[in-house]
Amino acid sequence: MGKVTGFMEFDRISEQNIPPQERLKNYKEFVLHLSDDEAKKQGARCMDCGIPFCTTGCPINNIIPDWNDLIYNQNWEEAIEVLHSTNNFPEFTGRLCPAPCEAACTLNINDDAVGIKSIEHAIIDKAWENNWVKPLIPTHKTNKKIAIVGSGPAGMAAAQQLARVGHAVTVYEKNDRIGGLLRYGIPDFKMEKTHIDRRMKQMEAEGVVFKVNQNIGENVKPDELTNNYDAVILAGGAEHPRDLPVPGRELNGVMFAMNFLPQQNKVVAGDKLQNQILATDKHVVVIGGGDTGSDCVGTSNRHHATSVTQFELMPQPPVKENKEMVWPNWPLKLRTSSSHEEGCERDWSVTTKSFVGENGNVKEIIAARVEWKDGKITEVPNSEFKMKADLVLLAMGFVSPQQKMLDLFGVDKDQRGNVKATTEGKEAYITSKAKVFAAGDIRRGQSLIVWAIREGRQCARAVDEFLMGTSTLPR
């Protein structure tokens, strides 16, 4: 723990942001990490609460009280060692994780949880600044070869863990750069891609080989991997988006969010794109109230859209949850992202009925109000309304992984179309096909980065045990 009386002496300190009018001018990160003194005070607030619910609230079970205490005592170098013991990529989670650990913090009962995520952010940034993040070169080689399909957080975590115990690991990525949806789904203003690039360099020094433009079923056959490697890990994302089959869906300007967001990432990376989809001078409607929808809002504002509106089918959540009912679990409550603060009209309990076009281009959206009755969504009578819409971005989540690759590997699937594999026992993470494993969203469905890292690490241990009979890797 930190200071015994710290939680009574110090208030929660939030990270500072560059003002919206400034940050909208570019695609750079705008969240400023805590100063050493601010981080010390946040660490001091960690209580001797007996049961660290924060640790169980965190999917990767970060040892949060330990590094809070280390930061209170300004022992930064040991803090990054403790943080790295459970989390391969705290620079990802310290920027992108919604922080279920803070929801579970005992201080959150009073609505002022320890700023765990901000401390994590400060620790990893200081570690990179001081050159404390170094390759961990294996002391021996096992002569075992592993192929990992997908270079998102699950694939990267599995690759790093397996390389560090001496296996020869090759990561296959279908896109032209490594990182999966971290690279081409998360806007740069939330996480600049230099964070992925320097982790790649570390992992390459540890022995990981990265191959891009490797598409299963096109230039890579599943048999090539299963025949040439001792184990294969499927670590792709849940990339099959939920569609909206209403009249007018075929109009130009009605598209999936993931046809919109990656283009801007590529432009920021220096690529020259022809016919980039831009929100400039357009009335933009984002359908879907989650993180992807929020990313569309932030990107559209940086394009200088005329207006940005976000629809959500579900009712507006309460501003404040009932702590006695939900703590220490993740609460349902109204969440306003930094992109919303930059400019956006939000509307709840709205269903989209159709799109209206002109010369093949969307110009208007027809929607209506809905309400819940007897456990079902019903349209409110006489509630239909119209709205200008030159660009409609569908951000309603992802229903499953892309099925083609799973069919090519011939693995069994669950009822949702994910790869069927358990997480427990001797069969952990292994699929119905011999020596083929699965981890991350491809197995569990659309989820958080922290869950992907957890599954990648656990799958790495399962593969190591499968190949060697035993493993020193942590679960």
Side-chain angles (χ1 to χ4, degrees), residues 89 91-92 128 151 156 177-184 186 191-203 210:
F89 314 118
E91 63 270 43
F92 302 164
W128 281 111
S151 68
M156 289 183 71
R177 294 183 177 93
I178 293 297
L181 289 181
L182 288 172
R183 175 76 68 177
Y184 286 137
I186 304 294
M191 191 188 79
E192 294 177 22
K193 307 316 172 195
T194 52
H195 302 297
I196 304 173
D197 296 336
R198 61 187 177 185
R199 275 297 177 186
M200 278 183 60
K201 290 181 180 178
Q202 180 200 33
M203 293 171 66
F210 292 101

Side-chain angles (χ1 to χ4, degrees), residues 72-85:
Y72 169 63
N73 289 292
Q74 295 292 280
N75 191 339
W76 291 83
E77 195 164 359
E78 188 174 348
I80 187 57
E81 291 181 12
V82 175
L83 179 51
H84 268 149
S85 71

Side-chain angles (χ1 to χ4, degrees), residues 243-247 249:
D243 207 344
L244 186 61
V246 299
R249 170 64 180 87

Side-chain angles (χ1 to χ4, degrees), residues 197-251:
D197 296 336
R198 61 187 177 185
R199 275 297 177 186
M200 278 183 60
K201 290 181 180 178
Q202 180 200 33
M203 293 171 66
E204 286 173 335
E206 294 169 343
V208 177
V209 175
F210 292 101
K211 293 186 176 183
V212 297
N213 298 313
Q214 304 291 303
N215 205 326
I216 304 298
E218 293 184 10
N219 57 349
V220 180
K221 295 181 180 179
D223 287 350
E224 294 176 20
L225 302 184
T226 53
N227 292 337
N228 295 326
Y229 290 88
D230 298 293
V232 177
I233 300 176
L234 305 182
E239 296 181 283
H240 185 207
R242 182 173 285 107
D243 207 344
L244 186 61
V246 299
R249 170 64 180 87
E250 74 286 352
L251 290 168

Side-chain angles (χ1 to χ4, degrees), residues 44-216:
R45 298 181 66 242
C46 188
M47 302 170 66
D48 185 11
C49 57
I51 300 175
F53 291 98
C54 58
T55 297
T56 54
C58 172
I60 47 179
N61 304 124
N62 277 331
I63 313 171
I64 295 163
D66 287 32
W67 40 262
N68 281 340
D69 178 64
L70 289 166
I71 293 308
Y72 169 63
N73 289 292
Q74 295 292 280
N75 191 339
W76 291 83
E77 195 164 359
E78 188 174 348
I80 187 57
E81 291 181 12
V82 175
L83 179 51
H84 268 149
S85 71
T86 56
N87 185 356
N88 296 69
F89 314 118
E91 63 270 43
F92 302 164
T93 54
R95 287 167 168 79
L96 303 172
C97 182
C101 54
E102 293 186 17
C105 175
T106 300
L107 273 178
N108 192 44
I109 296 173
N110 294 331
D111 234 8
D112 60 350
V114 175
I116 299 168
K117 179 179 174 180
S118 63
I119 296 174
E120 180 180 18
H121 184 186
I123 292 171
I124 185 59
D125 280 13
K126 195 174 190 70
W128 281 111
E129 290 164 8
N130 287 276
N131 198 31
W132 295 334
V133 183
K134 297 180 181 296
L136 300 181
I137 311 298
T139 57
H140 68 283
K141 296 292 185 180
T142 64
N143 296 319
K144 299 291 186 180
K145 299 192 301 180
I146 302 160
I148 298 178
V149 180
S151 68
M156 289 183 71
Q160 186 164 61
Q161 293 294 95
L162 289 164
R164 287 176 172 178
V165 291
H167 300 308
V169 181
T170 303
V171 177
Y172 290 79
E173 169 57 50
K174 67 179 180 181
N175 291 313
D176 59 348
R177 294 183 177 93
I178 293 297
L181 289 181
L182 288 172
R183 175 76 68 177
Y184 286 137
I186 304 294
D188 289 77
F189 56 79
K190 288 178 67 174
M191 191 188 79
E192 294 177 22
K193 307 316 172 195
T194 52
H195 302 297
I196 304 173
D197 296 336
R198 61 187 177 185
R199 275 297 177 186
M200 278 183 60
K201 290 181 180 178
Q202 180 200 33
M203 293 171 66
E204 286 173 335
E206 294 169 343
V208 177
V209 175
F210 292 101
K211 293 186 176 183
V212 297
N213 298 313
Q214 304 291 303
N215 205 326
I216 304 298

